[in-house]
Amino acid sequence: EPVEVDFEVWEENWETVQMFMRMQTQWRVGMSGPVGLDYAPLEWLCRIYKVEDPALVFTGLQVMEYTALSCFNAKKT
């Protein structure tokens, strides 16, 4: 049964968390599962959501992507 967990997001990270959620359907998947996000839609999303500092959001997105991949891979072992 799923467990609901609340967590806090610092204000300076909120835009990155929102973008990560918008990118949740953009995972590239190989034979062994997710391998990373497809970054192609990110530029378009940054434009339509008027992101002030796309480079900062991209850096944060990569941290979240790395962490998510670590969690995905941990479930395999």
Side-chain angles (χ1 to χ4, degrees):
E1 186 173 314
V3 176
E4 188 173 312
V5 178
D6 291 330
F7 58 91
E8 183 177 344
V9 177
W10 293 349
E11 184 177 346
E12 60 266 26
N13 296 327
W14 183 241
E15 190 171 46
T16 299
V17 171
Q18 287 180 308
M19 193 59 70
F20 184 76
M21 297 305 295
R22 292 176 185 129
M23 293 282 292
Q24 68 183 328
T25 60
Q26 301 304 314
W27 285 99
R28 291 190 178 239
V29 180
M31 294 293 287
S32 61
V35 295
L37 289 169
D38 178 1
Y39 297 140
L42 183 59
E43 181 180 4
W44 179 76
L45 287 169
C46 284
R47 276 190 271 133
I48 67 169
Y49 288 103
K50 297 176 177 40
V51 172
E52 287 186 31
D53 190 348
L56 183 64
V57 168
F58 178 65
T59 300
L61 190 72
Q62 286 186 305
V63 171
M64 294 184 75
E65 173 190 36
Y66 176 81
T67 303
L69 287 169
S70 295
C71 291
F72 294 153
N73 291 327
K75 289 182 179 181
K76 292 178 192 176
T77 58

